[in-house]
Each structure stands twice: as C-alpha cells, then as structure tokens.
Amino acid sequence: MKKIRYFFIISMIAITSACDVERKIDFESFSILHNENLSRDIHGFIITENSNPLKIPSSFNTISQLSNTLIHSDWLSSKDYLSNINELIYALEETQLKEAQVFINALKQAKKNYAQNILRVNAYAQTLQYSYDKTLDRYTVEASDYRKKITLLEKSNDYYLTNIARVEKELEIQREKYFKAKKSFINRLNVALKDPITTFNINDNLNFKIRQKTKPKCEKFWGDYESINTKNNNNCVYINIDYLVSNVSKNNKESVHQIIKNNALNLWSELITLNGFYDTKTNKTYFKNNLRSQLAKLKNDYLKRKQLCAHTCPSVPMLKQQLASLKDEKNKIIEPYILDKNNKIDIHSTGFNKILNRSFQSNNLEITNPLNTFIALYDNPKAVDAFTSEYAHKIIINYPKEFTISINRNGHFIKPKIPTKNYSLFVNVGSTCSIIYQPNRQGLLPKVISADSLNVKTKNCGLEELIKHNLEQKWFLYA
C-alpha cells in the first residue's frame, strides 16, 4: 500500500513539473527566421530588474565618463589630469579585454607626453619668472614710495606736531614710572639684604628672555630661567632668577627670590611700554608699538613731509593717479591671475595658459596635447567597434548561469525557477534575429510561444549586436 502511494506521489510531481516547466518556441511560425541555421545551439536569457545584459555596466560607464572628462579637459590647467589618466588606465585594465590594450598603450604614451610637456612648461615659466621678478621688484619699490608720500601728505603739519607733543609727554611719564619701579625694586632688596653691592649686582644682572607660547600655559622653567606670569596670550617671559640669588645667603634666599619675582613683573610691563624688547639671540624686536618707536616714527614722518613740501606740496589726487597708472603698467607686463600669493608663476592658472597659447605662435616649445593618440582612437569607429564587440561578448558569456536557458533546434526548453514574476525572455536565435517575450502579470509562460502569441517582439539582430550597439551609443554620447 505504501509503495503504491509513493509511486503515485512521484508520478504527480513528474506530471506537474512537465506541465509547469517544459516549454517550446515555435520557430517555424517566425518567418523572419528563415535565414538562420537552427541546427546550432540557441540560448535564452531571463531579464530581471537586477540581471539585464542590455543594461550598460557600471565599469563601462566609468570608462566612457573618464574618457569624456579627459578629452574635454585642459591638460595644463586641470590639476587632476594625470590622476584621471591613471584611473582610466586602471578601469580599462580591469576589463581584461585584448581590444582594450590599444587604448591603454595610448594613455601610457599620454603620461609620457604630459611629463615632457610639464618639463618644457616649467623651463619656460622659470625664464618668465626671472623677467617678472625684476618687474615686481621695480613696481614694489615705486608703489611703496607713492603710498608713503600719499600717507604723509594726507595728514597735516598740525597732526604731526600735536601727536609728537602728546607722545613726548607720555614718554616722559612712562620714563618716570619705569625708574620709579626700578627704585622700588632696589629699595626692597636693600631692606632684605642690607648689602648695597649685592643689591646693585642683582639689579644690574636681571635679564629677561621671551619665546612664543606653544601651550595654553607657559612652562615654569626654561633652562636656568624661571617664568613670570605676564598674562600674555602669545609669549612666555622668563628671568634668570637662580643666577641672581646664587650669591645671596641661605637665610635671605627665599625672601629675595619672592622680591625679584614680584618686582620683575612690574619692571617688564613698564619696560616694554617704554622701549619694547629686543632679543639679541634671535635679532627680533617685540612690542614694536612702544612709546620710543612711536615718537621716532612721528618725527621721521614729519621730517619727510617737510622735505616733500619744501617748495610746494605734491597733489595727493595726482599721486594716486600715478599709483594707479603704475599698477596698469605692471598688469600690461604681467598677465593677471598668473601669480600665486607668493608672487610665483602658477603654471596651472588661466593667466599662464593664455601666455602659453600665445607662445605657441612665436616660440617652438614642442608642446602638443598629450592625448592626441588616444583621441584619434576614441573617435575611430574600427577601434571602438572591436572594443565594444569584445565587451559585449564578455557580458554574454559572463551572464549568470541561473538566468540562462538552452533551447534545442526544435524550440524545446526548460525554464529555470527564478525568484520573481517580473521578467522578460530574450531568445538569441542568431546574428540576424532575436525573440523577446514579456510574460503576463502572473509571470506564466504559455506552453508554446509563437509569432501569434501576445507580448512577443522580434529584432533583426542578435543579442551581442544589440549590446554592442548600446555600448557604442554610450561611448559616443559626448562625441
């Protein structure tokens, strides 16, 4: 009884499978097929949303987009030019196609051409830079002279006399404050030490050191020097306090140490307001806007103004016009936007590009478009046809096996099970014919597909030719 039941189940599965999976294409009903040899293998391809041989692969899109970018970019002004060439070479190599090699070779030659061009361009830019530097030096000196004269003349004599008097008064007050701070320092030391000689030595040998602040807080020691809290956001200030107290008796050392630290801060503040600070080791002046410097500048500017106006003061509007004319003269010699912020020629700038284009006419720089060979291949129908044909063939042979169907010459085939009802069936009959069938909404194929079946279309080319056509359309999209 069990054997009969088992046999019955197996029979039902076989009948159901035969009814649901086995199908046939009636080739004879398609008159367009009369030129095709149906004795060879025929393949069908199931097209879904995710698997579609007619869809342009992303790798091919990358190749066509990069090619277009390179061909339409300027080799000199584009700073990504070389990296784009390398990226395109990599994309072509990834295809592993024999017909891609001719394009790869052309791009590798383009890299060599580009390197040679850059060498020649840099040599030309250096010659130009020498000429520009002389022009810039002359312009800088003359323009600075005009600006100084304008600045001096825009202020009246009364302005200078009033401000000289004001700063002289401030200087005298500040000088008194500084000497008062010195005297207070010496008196406190005398009270603590009761030794005028030691007091004199400490006062005479007090040294300050300054360095740029690298951390939020200054380090307490810098060699033999100890920091004082100046509350300056940019610099740290140190004094040679260990050396100053080295000859002080042990009983007085702590009190003298504290007197020096407390008074050094006040001395430093009064000193930099009066004189600023000059670091002998770095030859650098700090706090340049001190009172002595202000007074010296005011007196110097007043003297220059008097010399300018010895007979008649020059006209300020006239000087401004001469400055503008000087700038125009410079711009006629030096192409605008050719120099970077350091006044060095930027060979990638639009200004340099203009000069270089003019130089092509008058100088034999032996510079050509690095991509000339590649561009010729890109526009060559034979080279493109060979590449896209091989690419199309690769797409077909690499199509997922689970979405392909083998069809015999009588049209019989078994549809594989696929996880979707939305699909099309593309039958690649031969080089001059294809059959496309779109199932109904339920995703059910009829047992026999004929020319009279609903949702059937024919094309007068094979799948490979159709793919190649799509690739070429994409390739020449920007041509």
Side-chain angles (χ1 to χ4, degrees):
M1 186 68 183
K2 286 182 179 179
K3 286 183 179 180
I4 294 171
R5 185 181 176 187
Y6 179 75
F7 178 76
F8 176 75
I9 293 170
I10 295 296
S11 299
M12 288 299 293
I13 292 172
I15 292 168
T16 304
S17 298
C19 292
D20 291 344
V21 180
E22 190 172 307
R23 298 288 183 267
K24 178 184 177 181
I25 297 176
D26 183 8
F27 287 131
E28 292 182 0
S29 68
F30 293 93
S31 58
I32 197 170
L33 303 178
H34 64 85
N35 290 328
E36 290 294 336
N37 180 8
L38 299 182
S39 62
R40 57 185 177 76
D41 290 339
I42 300 168
H43 295 286
F45 299 85
I46 295 176
I47 299 174
T48 67
E49 185 178 347
N50 297 322
S51 295
N52 186 350
L54 298 173
K55 184 180 179 182
I56 305 295
S58 60
S59 56
F60 190 88
N61 271 326
T62 299
I63 290 169
S64 62
Q65 288 168 5
L66 279 172
S67 298
N68 174 62
T69 299
L70 269 170
I71 288 171
H72 291 89
S73 64
D74 182 86
W75 65 269
L76 184 57
S77 62
S78 173
K79 295 183 179 181
D80 297 326
Y81 193 80
L82 199 55
S83 62
N84 285 340
I85 290 179
N86 287 326
E87 193 175 348
L88 182 54
I89 289 173
Y90 177 77
L92 285 164
E93 287 176 340
E94 283 289 286
T95 65
Q96 298 182 337
L97 299 178
K98 184 179 72 172
E99 296 298 338
Q101 193 59 48
V102 66
F103 295 100
I104 293 170
N105 293 341
L107 288 168
K108 287 182 177 178
Q109 184 59 47
K111 287 175 64 177
K112 293 178 182 178
N113 296 342
Y114 177 81
Q116 290 173 352
N117 280 1
I118 292 296
L119 284 173
R120 293 187 178 109
V121 164
N122 280 329
Y124 179 69
Q126 285 176 4
T127 303
L128 206 59
Q129 184 74 55
Y130 177 74
S131 172
Y132 279 13
D133 285 344
K134 290 197 296 183
T135 301
L136 283 167
D137 288 344
R138 180 177 67 84
Y139 168 79
T140 301
V141 171
E142 292 184 17
S144 177
D145 186 52
Y146 278 121
R147 291 191 189 98
K148 285 177 182 176
K149 288 177 179 177
I150 292 167
T151 301
L152 290 171
L153 294 168
E154 282 181 331
K155 295 179 175 68
S156 66
N157 277 337
D158 287 344
Y159 168 85
Y160 289 104
L161 293 172
T162 301
N163 279 281
I164 287 170
R166 175 184 59 79
V167 175
E168 282 179 336
K169 185 176 180 180
E170 289 178 5
L171 188 64
E172 187 60 34
I173 293 170
Q174 184 60 34
R175 189 184 292 113
E176 290 177 7
K177 286 178 68 178
Y178 175 68
F179 284 117
K180 185 177 180 181
K182 273 274 191 183
K183 186 177 180 181
S184 174
F185 178 47
I186 291 169
N187 288 340
R188 288 177 183 177
L189 286 174
N190 277 328
V191 170
L193 291 170
K194 297 179 176 61
D195 181 0
I197 295 175
T198 304
T199 296
F200 173 82
N201 286 334
I202 290 174
N203 176 64
D204 194 48
N205 290 296
L206 174 61
N207 288 327
F208 293 94
K209 277 189 176 182
I210 189 169
R211 69 171 178 174
Q212 189 174 355
K213 186 180 287 187
T214 57
K215 297 178 181 178
K217 288 187 176 181
C218 296
E219 294 176 358
K220 187 173 182 182
F221 295 99
W222 182 22
D224 295 332
Y225 281 64
E226 186 174 337
S227 67
I228 56 174
N229 186 19
T230 60
K231 296 181 180 179
N232 187 288
N233 293 326
N234 300 317
N235 302 303
C236 297
V237 181
Y238 297 83
I239 55 173
N240 56 335
I241 197 162
D242 283 349
Y243 172 75
L244 297 176
V245 299
S246 59
N247 294 322
V248 176
S249 65
K250 190 175 181 180
N251 292 336
N252 291 330
K253 238 172 197 174
E254 187 175 341
S255 60
V256 170
H257 187 283
Q258 196 60 45
I259 289 170
I260 294 172
K261 284 208 76 170
N262 290 343
N263 284 266
L265 184 60
N266 188 37
L267 282 169
W268 171 258
S269 177
E270 305 300 351
L271 173 68
I272 61 174
T273 304
L274 182 66
N275 294 332
F277 180 76
Y278 178 72
D279 188 345
T280 55
K281 289 199 172 182
T282 60
N283 292 326
K284 185 176 179 180
T285 300
Y286 294 84
F287 312 104
K288 293 182 180 180
N289 193 34
N290 59 76
L291 290 171
R292 287 193 190 278
S293 295
Q294 288 180 44
L295 183 60
K297 186 177 185 307
L298 282 166
K299 286 183 174 181
N300 187 49
D301 288 348
Y302 176 60
L303 179 62
K304 287 180 179 178
R305 191 186 191 286
K306 283 179 69 176
Q307 290 170 346
L308 275 172
C309 297
H311 300 292
T312 304
C313 289
S315 164
V316 171
M318 181 192 71
L319 290 172
K320 287 182 177 180
Q321 180 58 47
Q322 289 173 340
L323 178 61
S325 298
L326 181 66
K327 186 175 181 180
D328 290 339
E329 182 188 337
K330 184 203 76 168
N331 287 339
K332 287 177 183 177
I333 300 172
I334 300 177
E335 190 82 32
Y337 314 115
I338 190 175
L339 302 175
D340 62 18
K341 61 182 180 181
N342 298 314
N343 284 331
K344 297 301 178 185
I345 290 175
D346 179 4
I347 64 170
H348 300 295
S349 65
T350 55
F352 185 77
N353 235 322
K354 288 180 183 178
I355 291 177
L356 200 61
N357 287 331
R358 289 200 297 266
S359 297
F360 287 155
Q361 310 299 325
S362 56
N363 299 292
N364 184 19
L365 298 179
E366 297 181 7
I367 292 174
T368 57
N369 189 335
L371 279 177
N372 277 345
T373 304
F374 177 79
I375 291 170
L377 286 169
Y378 183 87
D379 294 329
N380 187 325
K382 288 185 179 179
V384 177
D385 184 77
F387 177 63
T388 52
S389 291
E390 190 179 3
Y391 208 113
H393 182 69
K394 181 181 179 180
I395 289 173
I396 291 174
I397 62 174
N398 288 333
Y399 200 70
K401 299 301 179 186
E402 63 270 23
F403 291 100
T404 59
I405 301 169
S406 292
I407 305 169
N408 66 25
R409 62 180 181 173
N410 294 321
H412 292 283
F413 68 93
I414 297 175
K415 183 182 85 67
K417 293 181 179 179
I418 57 174
T420 179
K421 290 182 179 181
N422 299 316
Y423 66 91
S424 300
L425 177 61
F426 191 105
V427 180
N428 191 35
V429 180
S431 61
T432 62
C433 183
S434 302
I435 299 170
I436 303 173
Y437 182 79
Q438 176 70 52
N440 58 27
R441 291 184 179 180
Q442 286 74 34
L444 298 175
L445 283 170
K447 289 183 178 181
V448 178
I449 299 173
S450 69
D452 298 326
S453 298
L454 296 174
N455 304 321
V456 169
K457 294 180 182 178
T458 58
K459 287 189 174 289
N460 58 352
C461 63
L463 178 60
E464 188 168 319
E465 184 64 28
L466 197 57
I467 295 172
K468 185 173 78 68
H469 172 75
N470 290 347
L471 295 178
E472 287 186 354
Q473 287 287 102
K474 184 66 177 178
W475 183 274
F476 290 117
L477 179 63
Y478 304 102

